[in-house]
Amino acid sequence: MAAHRCRYLACLLLLFLSVILVTMSQETTLGHEQHATAVDDPQTGAETKQTAEKPTVEEKRWEETKVKATTQASDTAVLSKTQVNEDFQEELVIRPLHSGDIYASFQFRTVWETDFMKGNKVSHYRLFPKSLGQVISKFSVRELHISFTQGYWRTMQWGQPFIPSPPGAELWVWFQDSVTDVDATWKELTNVLSGIFCASLNFIDSTNTLQPSASFKPLGIGNETDHRFLRYATLPREIVCTENLTPWKKLLPCGSKAGLAVLLKSEKLFHSSFHSQSVHIRPVCQDRQCKSSSWELRQALNVVFDLHTSGQSKREWSLFKMFSRTLTEACPLASSSKIYIDVTDNPQEEQFELSPATPLLSQAVVLGDRRTFSVYDLTQQVTFGTVRSLNLMIRWKSSEGDMLRPLLHAERYVTGYGLQTGEIHTLMYNNHPFRSFPVLLLDSVPWYLRLYIHTLKVISKGKDNNPSYIHYQPSKDRERPHLLEMLLQLPPHSVTEVTVQFERALLKWTEYTPDPNHGFYVGSSVISSLVPSTVAMETNITMEQPLFSSFFPCKEESSYFARVYTEPLLVNLPTPDFSMPYNVICLTCTVVAVGYGSLYNLLTRSFQVEEPNPGLAKRIANVIRRMRGVPPL
Amino acid sequence: MKILTLLSVFGPYLFTDSVNIENSAGQFFSSGHTNNWAVLVCTSRFWFNYRHVANTLSVYRSVKRLGIPDSHIVLMLADDMACNHRNPKPATVFSHKNMELNVYGDDVEVDYRGYEVTVENFLRVLTGRLPPSTPRSKRLLSDDRSNILIYLTGHGGNGFLKFQDSEEISNVELADAFEQMWQKRRYNELLFIIDTCQGASMYERFYSPNIMALASSQVGEDSLSHQPDLAIGVHLMDRYTFYLLEFLEDIHPSSKTNMNDLFKVCPRSLCVSTPGHRTDLFLRNPESVLITDFFGSVRKVEITTEVLNLTHPIQRVEGSPVNGESHREVYSYVDQLPVSEIIHQKPKQKDWHPPDGFILGLWTLILLVFFKTYGIKHLKHIF
């Protein structure tokens, strides 16, 4: 009996083990099949049908995958139509400046044919960064422009930048029509962006937010522009450093690992005269007919390297000297990756020499001028040569030739003395010899500088220049800044001066910053204008245009849109003395003097009765009596 | 009989397995924490306080190197030294002279900077009472199984720490903040390091359990700085943190160094001040506490070779062509400076308010005077 039982037990065990083994093997084979189907072709709908009938038609599925492998050529065409259309381009423009400095402008553009707005939740992000996509859909953003700049762009020495930006941080946003409470959405948006870019954008509140009424029209497509949905704010005090560059680089599809972004090393970028990084999101036309829109994300980085601080005696620039890196490959996710060197002033190579030489040349109309560029295409392997790395060198042979004066530039400064009053002067120069053009000046002054608008004067060439449009919104203490917008016509070859007097306010002692003796910043004025151009501008923006020439849309051929920023102002407000030892000494001395003094008086003062002073007659009588020897009255 | 044979077959297997389970369970739960956070604060402003920023950044660097990710670090720097215009080498902060080690690096994320570093923000971060729109990177999202490292540096005195030359935090406030954290179950164990003058006074008042504190100097002593760099022109680091950094450079994510070594980091001969520590509130023996329990983020990972079946394959949603059917209107770019439109733009109509105050009073006065002089019956000549 026991023997039977033992055998029975052993058989049971064996059966159990075999069952386990079989199930395990089945699982692994199933797993393999799942892998194969997932990897092969995730797009077509036919696949899903097949996987539903998986247990019975395994062999048929393997055959299907083989067939798919051979017809891949025709499939890619089908794929590109049903696939979501995303495109990434990168470019670097290097422009030698007349003063010996060199201007490098990076632009990275991602275009995505999707709709964040119409309810379908976008959840599959490939090239477009997810953090920005979520910001757009959550806050119903129509356009977003944010820039961080260190340094001031010197228009007189350097010309016009491709993408202008004011010192500090600047943020302007157009919201969609569906937003009901724009101010609350704006506040939340600034907080979220401060987390994304590691900047203190949460200091943007109602005391520095503006709602311009005519400037800052949307740069993307759209049919109506109701300025109630526009908000603009600038933080002139904001510092830009590696902690802002790091999250900016992380938004790029290739990060800083491949393509042009490997050149972005913070130690070299911040050791420069000017550094600006910006993010621009807007809807653009997909093609010439412009029947549908796609979202465009542009990340731009402008930097101007100084000839003298980089410690070299002769005028010679190379990628290695500028960025301490050379290029080895283009970003694999980019459809185009190019470097443009501006050689307009160097048609026969008499000014500088470019090496390695490149046969590609291209012309583009940008900033009202036709410029010629030598192009290096990084997607072609031949650009990198035999050493597999590209180190562009520009060597100067002669240093003559003058720079064309820029047609429009502006200055701003404060005059006056003392800590009570002052005057703000804004100067706008029109250097065109015979044409005048319109200019829209946007001035914002914080509430603690009380403007006397009745002293506002606009003078060109010695005569009054009446603006054709003025919008002034006075400030409210601790709530709103001053907003002044004027549309002026600048006469040719002239200087227009706008002056307004102000008075400084005394802040409450808790409102001072920890370093109040540094001063308080006033944001830059913005001057938007239609500058006449020397060549006909392109009015249709297409996808094939180089990125630097397609940022501002153009409606007419004879002029181009330019935006110029003035310097920010630094004004001193009357500051109480916060120094602790002085206050302690004053307080102690006062307490001691009042307390001890009164106590001493109380303890040691004795009172004596005093007779009132007798009249003149009585005094004379007393004198006579004394002379007589008789006691006085 | 059957049961006996069954047991005899499976018994040894079960026995060895249970021992293994106990061992791994023991290992898993000995430290008691499942995630690590760090709050690193530099409270001084101005260029001559370069060393405080360098202190904080060197601890940040060590903590990142040992595994705590940026999302779990709240870094507060009261001033910007790296891109300061007085810095001869921009975008760098050095800790050793002759510019040997750049603690700022290329991959740094500062959560609170400049004027945002205030006592209020610091206490809000610790207690979690932040406004709802604060982004995640600025929050301390710890739970009751988190080990938190808190590092403070700046100028301090007996019982207080100065924030940005304009306000101070006292040791009582700090102790209360930690008690709030304990009551809200926001930490499992807390390591508090402070590098200021008279630093030991800051941890005198703690009364919440599971806090270990270290300070660079006792009450009545000053913490001194280490060495100046002649090219940069300021002192680069404080002594205590300099030797702490040297000690931490030798630690790697799997090292077994314990807290007793950390207490011996800066003897009086090197530091000139006497570093102090406090362990009476800590439940475990400092000898069994690893450095990486606070400075690193060692996660227990179990690798499996099993293949997991997804219940059904991921369906790719056939996105309806978003531009197709709906509207065929042509879009266009907006005119950037439509001069004629702007000139004829009517100014925004403010809501009409009835005249108030001064104007109303003035009109009332005029009407009164008018009626007084001419009398009401003469009104018919006017109307």
Side-chain angles (χ1 to χ4, degrees), chain A residues 283-294:
Chain A
V284 291
C285 290
Q286 247 169 39
D287 47 23
R288 240 169 225 273
Q289 286 84 22
C290 210
K291 287 259 170 57
S292 51
S293 72
S294 28

Side-chain angles (χ1 to χ4, degrees), chain A residues 275-340:
Chain A
H275 169 98
S276 163
Q277 61 201 49
S278 54
V279 172
H280 304 271
I281 303 178
R282 58 176 179 165
V284 291
C285 290
Q286 247 169 39
D287 47 23
R288 240 169 225 273
Q289 286 84 22
C290 210
K291 287 259 170 57
S292 51
S293 72
S294 28
W295 283 91
E296 178 195 76
L297 163 71
R298 266 189 206 234
Q299 289 179 252
L301 194 136
N302 291 348
V303 60
V304 174
F305 291 104
D306 195 272
L307 175 67
H308 301 291
T309 56
S310 45
Q312 52 191 22
S313 48
K314 48 191 183 123
R315 197 168 156 189
E316 184 185 288
W317 287 105
S318 70
L319 278 187
F320 189 77
K321 264 207 176 82
M322 290 196 276
F323 304 107
S324 71
R325 290 287 299 265
T326 58
L327 288 166
T328 48
E329 55 165 350
C331 173
L333 299 167
S335 62
S336 105
S337 176
K338 293 200 170 90
I339 300 185
Y340 293 86

Side-chain angles (χ1 to χ4, degrees), chain B residues 62-83:
Chain B
S62 311
V63 146
K64 257 182 97 156
R65 195 175 52 82
L66 293 172
I68 303 188
D70 267 317
S71 53
H72 282 225
I73 303 177
V74 177
L75 178 62
M76 303 171 82
L77 296 180
D79 201 0
D80 172 57
M81 299 303 166
C83 289

Side-chain angles (χ1 to χ4, degrees), chain A residues 237-239 241 243 555, chain B residues 83 104 113 115-116 133 333:
Chain A
R237 187 85 203 259
E238 192 67 19
I239 304 157
C241 208
E243 65 248 23
K555 284 279 175 169
Chain B
C83 289
Y104 195 59
R113 55 187 207 156
Y115 298 134
E116 292 181 293
S133 51
Y333 286 97

Side-chain angles (χ1 to χ4, degrees), chain A residues 432-475:
Chain A
H432 201 282
F434 50 84
R435 285 196 48 188
S436 71
F437 50 85
V439 138
L440 187 59
L441 170 68
L442 171 72
D443 234 331
S444 101
V445 177
W447 64 267
Y448 41 80
L449 297 183
R450 304 212 165 99
L451 293 182
Y452 291 129
I453 280 293
H454 71 280
T455 57
L456 176 68
K457 279 201 276 283
V458 183
I459 298 180
S460 322
K461 282 184 165 170
K463 292 187 299 207
D464 267 337
N465 184 351
N466 281 328
S468 23
Y469 170 79
I470 301 187
H471 172 73
Y472 173 64
Q473 192 185 51
S475 68

Side-chain angles (χ1 to χ4, degrees), chain B residues 323-381:
Chain B
N323 12 338
E325 327 84 19
S326 36
H327 35 82
R328 286 274 168 201
E329 51 179 284
V330 177
Y331 296 108
S332 61
Y333 286 97
V334 180
D335 200 354
Q336 291 299 303
L337 192 65
V339 177
S340 50
E341 222 181 271
I342 294 174
I343 292 176
H344 297 114
Q345 190 172 327
K346 276 203 289 259
K348 264 192 305 227
Q349 289 288 358
K350 289 273 177 208
D351 303 319
W352 185 81
H353 293 290
D356 59 342
F358 178 69
I359 303 291
L360 196 67
L362 195 65
W363 276 108
T364 321
L365 185 68
I366 292 171
L367 283 170
L368 263 172
V369 166
F370 181 78
F371 288 142
K372 199 132 166 101
T373 42
Y374 293 109
I376 303 231
K377 56 180 182 337
H378 289 281
L379 273 179
K380 61 175 192 287
H381 296 292

Side-chain angles (χ1 to χ4, degrees), chain A residues 9 13 31 34 42-43 48 51 84 113-115 118 120 142 150 188 191 194-195 198-200 202-203 211 213-214 217-223 225 237-244 246 249-250 265-267 270-271 282-286 289-293 438 440 468-469 471 473 487 513-515 528-530 541 553 555 561 563, chain B residues 1-2 5-6 9-10 45-46 70 77 79-80 82-85 87-92 102 104-111 113-116 121 133-135 137-138 164-166 168 307 309-311 313-316 318 320 322-323 327-348 350:
Chain A
L9 260 163
L13 251 166
Q34 291 268 2
Q43 269 97 13
T48 57
T51 50
V84 173
E113 193 188 304
T114 181
D115 201 348
K118 297 288 193 301
N120 47 330
R142 182 174 151 190
Q150 178 208 61
E188 282 180 31
N191 276 314
S194 88
C198 283
S200 35
N202 44 321
F203 283 129
Q211 195 183 318
S213 64
K217 294 260 183 245
L219 287 171
I221 59 181
N223 285 329
T225 56
R237 187 85 203 259
E238 192 67 19
I239 304 157
V240 186
C241 208
T242 313
E243 65 248 23
N244 304 110
T246 310
K249 280 198 284 191
K250 287 185 182 161
K265 288 282 159 223
S266 58
E267 284 176 15
F270 290 103
H271 198 46
R282 58 176 179 165
V284 291
C285 290
Q286 247 169 39
Q289 286 84 22
C290 210
K291 287 259 170 57
S292 51
S293 72
L440 187 59
S468 23
Y469 170 79
H471 172 73
Q473 192 185 51
L487 181 66
T513 54
D515 52 351
S528 325
S529 69
L530 284 174
I541 297 187
K555 284 279 175 169
F561 179 75
R563 199 170 266 150
Chain B
M1 185 58 190
K2 248 197 287 194
T5 44
L6 264 167
V9 171
F10 291 114
R45 172 167 276 279
F46 304 123
D70 267 317
L77 296 180
D79 201 0
D80 172 57
C83 289
N84 197 318
H85 296 294
N87 194 348
K89 298 210 92 200
T92 57
N102 175 15
Y104 195 59
D106 223 1
D107 185 18
V108 57
E109 286 186 19
V110 181
D111 301 305
R113 55 187 207 156
Y115 298 134
E116 292 181 293
N121 280 347
S133 51
T134 318
S137 58
K138 288 185 164 171
Q164 289 215 46
D165 214 22
S166 64
E168 4 181 280
V307 172
N309 270 333
L310 299 171
T311 46
I314 298 171
Q315 304 272 351
R316 185 176 175 84
E318 265 295 322
S320 51
V322 281
N323 12 338
H327 35 82
R328 286 274 168 201
E329 51 179 284
V330 177
Y331 296 108
S332 61
Y333 286 97
V334 180
D335 200 354
Q336 291 299 303
L337 192 65
V339 177
S340 50
E341 222 181 271
I342 294 174
I343 292 176
H344 297 114
Q345 190 172 327
K346 276 203 289 259
K348 264 192 305 227
K350 289 273 177 208

